[in-house]
Amino acid sequence: MSNENNTTQATETAQFPSNVLPKNIDKLTAYSSAKSEKLTGTTWLNANESPYTRAYELSRTEFNRYPDPQPESVINAYSAYVGLSAKQVVMTRGADEGIELLVRTFCTPSQDSIALFAPTYGMYKVTADTHNVAINALSQEVLQQSDVSDIVAQIGDSKLVFICNPNNPTGAMVSTQKIAAIATQLQDKAIVVVDEAYIEFCPEQSAVSLINDFNNLVVLRTLSKAFALAGLRTGFTLASEALLAPFRKVLAPYPVASVVADIAAQALSTSNIVSMRRQVGILNALKQRLSQWLQQSAAVNKVLSGEGNFVTLQLHDKSAITRAYERGLVMRPFTLYGQDNWLRISIGSEQELSEVKAWLDSLTNDNQ
């Protein structure tokens, strides 16, 4: 059989019966994570990962028994960390599972919608599309600049309202006062979901303090960023006990692996939390230094101010990104506000950020 026939046969085999695949899945555009892009490099600043590592030891070596669905040691440690009761905390496989479970629990497919404020984290849209839930796409400008009554009017009858705070990729923040006002006006109408993946970099702005006042407020958290455990895939959904009751119904039977619970419990020890906060202080200082370099660079058109362990900027010429790849420097390009010359740089170590400075200097020198 010829190579051409082999190719044709492979193509026909790869096709899936259209009458079996739901239309919303057939049309779905999957989320493109930083690690899904097959890139090569030596300095990785594209996924908002921490540059810090820590050694952990497993306390058990036998895995023939199923794990505790909600490991008590982790739940108690995290509830103490955030100042809530254990009944207000659910451990998930990253904050992403929390997003998925909220949509699956509270939204009726082909009937309900979620509201989001673009540009923002892409998994809100992908999750809604996956579950055939409509999307009410509002803008960050509406969230940041409009008064609460106008925001609520534009939210309309959306069942879930996702607020990424700090926002990825812009770093913008919404005050807890504004979140409280939105939750107040949406009482008995919608659930406000505050995604605080990056909140350890500005902990004084957390909405966790509002949970005991609102039964329609959810806060999502993760150990992936400041706790430097992106590879562990550990997140937490925080809310009132009443709100979490139906949420718990749709949890997988054993969502947390024993080894994950073991490491998470160690990460939440008092000494490790102190260490995490010290590292956050260092990264925030490095971020300030990077922002100054970017603002002084002739190759940069605009630098967005905001919180989180990243800086988002607009380049004068997006070919500068190719130059970075050629140097082994991997950062995250974006299309924002209809323009494709945006770049997000994760805050790495001092040595890693020196590579960014060298790249910026090379761009400036070439233009002289």
Side-chain angles (χ1 to χ4, degrees), residues 59-241:
S59 62
R60 58 188 294 181
T61 57
E62 296 179 356
F63 301 101
N64 58 312
R65 304 297 183 188
Y66 286 111
D68 184 345
Q70 289 291 292
E72 185 175 353
S73 61
V74 181
I75 297 298
N76 288 341
Y78 202 80
S79 62
Y81 169 63
V82 295
L84 296 174
S85 74
K87 293 180 179 180
Q88 295 172 303
V89 178
V90 174
M91 186 177 180
T92 59
R93 289 166 287 199
D96 288 340
E97 186 180 32
I99 296 167
E100 193 271 337
L101 289 172
L102 286 166
V103 172
R104 188 146 58 95
T105 302
F106 295 105
C107 293
T108 302
S110 301
Q111 178 177 316
D112 289 327
S113 68
I114 68 165
L116 52 80
F117 301 91
T120 193
Y121 183 42
M123 277 305 295
Y124 312 140
K125 180 181 186 305
V126 171
T127 303
D129 287 342
T130 300
H131 292 280
N132 204 17
V133 171
I135 297 165
N136 180 7
L138 307 177
S139 69
Q140 277 290 310
E141 285 73 21
V142 166
L143 180 62
Q144 297 293 330
Q145 299 174 15
S146 298
D147 61 40
V148 171
S149 296
D150 185 38
I151 294 170
V152 170
Q154 293 193 51
I155 288 170
D157 59 359
S158 293
K159 186 69 72 69
L160 297 174
V161 181
F162 285 94
I163 299 175
C164 192
N165 211 39
N167 186 53
N168 177 18
T170 65
M173 290 293 305
V174 181
S175 69
T176 54
Q177 292 83 1
K178 194 167 193 176
I179 290 172
I182 293 171
T184 297
Q185 292 200 24
L186 291 176
Q187 193 76 45
D188 300 324
K189 298 176 182 177
I191 296 170
V192 178
V193 184
V194 185
D195 186 344
E196 293 189 342
Y198 301 93
I199 200 65
E200 274 80 13
F201 296 93
C202 50
E204 69 283 354
Q205 302 192 61
S206 174
V208 166
S209 60
L210 301 176
I211 286 177
N212 287 326
D213 297 325
F214 294 95
N215 61 8
N216 66 330
L217 181 71
V218 176
V219 173
L220 299 175
R221 290 287 193 90
T222 182
L223 298 187
S224 295
K225 310 303 181 184
F227 279 91
L229 285 171
L232 198 65
R233 305 308 299 126
T234 298
F236 299 90
T237 300
L238 315 176
S240 69
E241 185 179 354

Side-chain angles (χ1 to χ4, degrees), residues 317-339:
D317 186 350
K318 71 173 184 177
S319 66
I321 299 172
T322 302
R323 294 283 301 277
Y325 288 147
E326 291 170 350
R327 301 174 66 95
L329 178 58
V330 183
M331 300 168 287
R332 189 80 189 272
F334 275 97
T335 296
L336 292 180
Y337 311 112
Q339 299 169 309

